Amino acid sequence: MADSSFDIVSKLDRQEVDNALSQAAREIANRFDFKGTGASIEWKGEQAIEITASADDRASAVLSVFQDKLIKRNQSLKILETSEPRQSGQVSKIDIALKEGITSEDAKKISKLIRDEGPKGVKAQIQGDELRVSSKKRDDLQAVQQLVKAQDYEFAVQFTNYR
């Protein structure tokens, strides 16, 4: 029998993030506590979002609204790399970078975890920004998925191409 395999990846669903951003922008425009604060949230390039408001606490409130919308759309908050609120003239700004892909050192950590604590006969190969895990038994692959899910990494983890 051929080996079964799956990939461990860290990807974001750009459409869901865009929907969450537009929902947050709509809520900010309608909420009473944001009236007159100049609060806004918008894309800044392909992989970044910028929040502006008249005060640090209003900018932080906009960030929390955006995070709530992401959670409701089943997106991990680990895809966000948020800066501290900073003053820019009269307004306060927060920059958010979107993280995607597994770095090579994170892939090595996962690979080592699978080798050390995973079932015997499971192989992990690093392929660019993803990790391919293969084994003869599907049950071993499911055990590896549970093992990786139980760890708390600083990036979002998804499993794809389960064969």
Side-chain angles (χ1 to χ4, degrees), residues 3-23:
D3 281 4
S4 299
S5 68
F6 69 89
D7 295 337
I8 300 174
V9 297
S10 178
K11 295 203 181 313
L12 58 94
D13 187 345
R14 184 162 168 79
Q15 185 63 52
E16 290 293 340
V17 174
D18 192 39
N19 290 342
L21 185 119
S22 57
Q23 281 183 337

Side-chain angles (χ1 to χ4, degrees), residues 31-91:
R31 261 178 52 178
F32 180 74
D33 57 336
F34 287 117
K35 293 278 189 235
T37 61
S40 70
I41 181 169
E42 56 198 21
W43 285 105
K44 183 181 164 190
E46 279 293 305
Q47 293 290 321
I49 296 169
E50 186 176 60
I51 295 173
T52 57
S54 59
D56 286 356
D57 64 325
R58 291 292 87 204
S60 298
V62 171
L63 176 62
S64 102
V65 167
F66 179 57
Q67 288 173 336
D68 290 344
K69 299 300 179 190
L70 279 176
I71 290 169
K72 285 182 183 168
R73 297 192 151 273
N74 293 326
Q75 296 298 304
S76 172
L77 295 182
K78 293 178 180 179
I79 64 172
L80 303 179
E81 200 169 283
T82 310
S83 71
E84 291 298 314
R86 60 179 166 73
Q87 283 299 120
S88 175
Q90 294 290 321
V91 296

